[in-house]
Amino acid sequence: MSDLEERTFIAIKPDGVQRGLIGEVIKRFEQKGFKLVGMKMLQASQELLHNHYADLSTKGFFPSLIAYMSSGPVVAMVWEGKGVVKTGRVMLGATNPADSAPGTIRGDYCIHVGKNVIHGSDSVESAEQEISLWFQPSELVSYKSCAFNWLYE
Ligand code: IDP
Ligand code: MG
């Protein structure tokens, strides 16, 4: 996989969906120059969320995190492009919105760590793992077979 094909898993959490931020999040990633290669709206199962947040299962806030993520539909997406994992995290802002810079998604749209609007993979390895957890390979598109050349390729 070339560095242009790096992928990250981004999810708009239930509060982001309820507050009408789906378009805003997509707009930011799209206009930055990243490619959307997969997207679906779903009510995440308990099993999926326990797998997704397995590394946080010993934390005191884990039950409330699972309840929060189960409180409504989420929009799961895979975005592709050079440096998309790291840049995606920068675009999200710090985990706690109190520390998220203005101009970031969390910095602009939330105030509480327990309702922080959006998820983004924190490393290339966790991105691969999360993408395979949330998506079947057949649900992701490749632009390689397109008749046009992507802007950055
Ligand atoms: P991240 O989402 O920025 O990667 P993580 O540490 O992986 O942050 O935590 C996952 C999610 O768990 C956070 O986005 C947030 O929704 C929730 N969370 C993290 N820390 C706390 C906390 O101290 N209280 C409540 N919820 C938290
Ligand atoms: Mg995390």
Side-chain angles (χ1 to χ4, degrees):
M1 188 181 279
S2 83
D3 66 344
L4 290 171
E5 292 164 351
E6 183 177 307
R7 289 176 169 184
T8 194
F9 175 68
I10 299 291
I12 305 169
K13 297 178 176 182
D15 56 325
V17 172
Q18 287 164 29
R19 293 181 48 209
L21 296 172
I22 300 171
E24 177 64 28
V25 169
I26 292 173
K27 179 179 159 206
R28 289 185 182 213
F29 277 83
E30 212 178 14
Q31 295 192 344
K32 175 69 176 165
F34 294 127
K35 285 189 289 195
L36 183 59
V37 298
M39 179 166 69
K40 60 184 168 186
M41 189 170 212
L42 72 160
Q43 174 74 49
S45 69
Q46 296 291 306
E47 186 188 1
L48 175 57
L49 293 172
H50 277 79
N51 278 328
H52 176 75
Y53 282 128
D55 59 328
L56 299 175
S57 61
T58 60
K59 302 280 187 189
F61 60 80
F62 185 73
S64 63
L65 173 61
I66 298 299
Y68 159 47
M69 291 297 291
S70 315
S71 65
V74 301
V75 175
M77 296 179 283
V78 179
W79 287 89
E80 182 180 279
K82 184 173 165 57
V84 70
V85 173
K86 187 172 171 213
T87 301
R89 289 286 293 194
V90 173
M91 290 166 64
L92 262 59
T95 302
N96 188 337
D99 303 321
S100 312
T104 65
I105 294 166
R106 288 167 172 166
D108 287 350
Y109 295 113
C110 54
I111 53 174
H112 194 287
V113 69
K115 292 254 185 315
N116 62 355
V117 172
I118 187 164
H119 167 84
S121 308
D122 64 8
S123 68
V124 172
E125 294 70 34
S126 59
E128 285 170 4
Q129 199 260 325
E130 290 170 1
I131 290 166
S132 66
L133 184 62
W134 288 79
F135 286 89
Q136 300 295 324
S138 61
E139 294 176 308
L140 304 177
V141 301
S142 168
Y143 288 73
K144 282 197 179 121
S145 55
C146 287
F148 59 86
N149 286 325
W150 187 256
L151 183 61
Y152 299 125
E153 288 158 15

